[in-house]
Amino acid sequence: MILIDLKDSRPIYEQVVERFKILILRGAIEPDEKLPSVRNLAVDLSINPNTIQRAYGELERQGYIYTVKGKGNFASDRENLLGRYKEEILKQLKEICRTALSVGMTETEIIDNIRGWGKL
């Protein structure tokens, strides 16, 4: 379900957050589906439970999961999240394009490269 890339420069909790976000947005984790407990996921990934707790806290803060006291953590409805995630990606893309333009790339170069990617 979740794989940690030890070569990734991001902190482990950020990787866990990103992996869960993708699983929820793709529908691999259904709305209201119970997530693994902090302890079980920590054991499965061989990482500190505090790391998982931090990731779950961030996912809840961002609205991807919700907690039911005494029951656990559950996936939120992905419909609202998908639009927000797309906005986040477009904001990042806009910033990258600004950077590309500032170092001399032309708008045509940027667009041609994006079109050349086709279906990644």
Side-chain angles (χ1 to χ4, degrees), residues 12-58:
I12 292 172
Y13 89 93
E14 287 182 6
Q15 292 183 50
V16 173
V17 167
E18 188 64 25
R19 301 302 193 282
F20 269 112
K21 285 167 79 170
I22 298 299
L23 289 170
I24 291 168
L25 291 170
R26 287 187 176 168
I29 297 176
E30 296 290 328
D32 303 317
E33 183 176 332
K34 190 175 189 307
L35 275 57
S37 71
V38 168
R39 183 172 292 131
N40 286 344
L41 187 56
V43 168
D44 289 348
L45 298 177
S46 299
I47 58 177
N48 190 310
N50 292 331
T51 302
I52 300 302
Q53 187 62 48
R54 184 173 182 189
Y56 278 6
E58 183 61 22

Side-chain angles (χ1 to χ4, degrees), residues 60-71:
E60 185 169 22
R61 188 187 70 72
Q62 293 181 22
Y64 284 85
I65 67 172
Y66 63 93
T67 302
V68 176
K69 196 155 183 95
K71 300 284 186 189

Side-chain angles (χ1 to χ4, degrees), residues 93 110 112-120:
L93 183 58
I110 295 168
D112 287 348
N113 274 284
I114 292 171
R115 283 190 180 129
W117 297 338
K119 285 200 172 211
L120 300 175

Side-chain angles (χ1 to χ4, degrees), residues 37-113:
S37 71
V38 168
R39 183 172 292 131
N40 286 344
L41 187 56
V43 168
D44 289 348
L45 298 177
S46 299
I47 58 177
N48 190 310
N50 292 331
T51 302
I52 300 302
Q53 187 62 48
R54 184 173 182 189
Y56 278 6
E58 183 61 22
L59 286 163
E60 185 169 22
R61 188 187 70 72
Q62 293 181 22
Y64 284 85
I65 67 172
Y66 63 93
T67 302
V68 176
K69 196 155 183 95
K71 300 284 186 189
N73 297 291
F74 299 84
S76 297
D77 183 15
R78 76 182 202 92
E79 292 308 315
N80 296 330
L81 299 170
L82 195 53
R84 222 176 354 163
Y85 192 73
K86 286 180 181 180
E87 286 177 24
E88 185 181 314
I89 290 171
L90 290 173
K91 183 179 176 184
Q92 292 172 5
L93 183 58
K94 189 175 188 178
E95 188 58 38
I96 289 169
C97 288
R98 280 190 183 132
T99 302
L101 290 168
S102 74
V103 297
M105 285 184 75
T106 66
E107 186 176 317
T108 303
E109 285 178 298
I110 295 168
I111 292 169
D112 287 348
N113 274 284

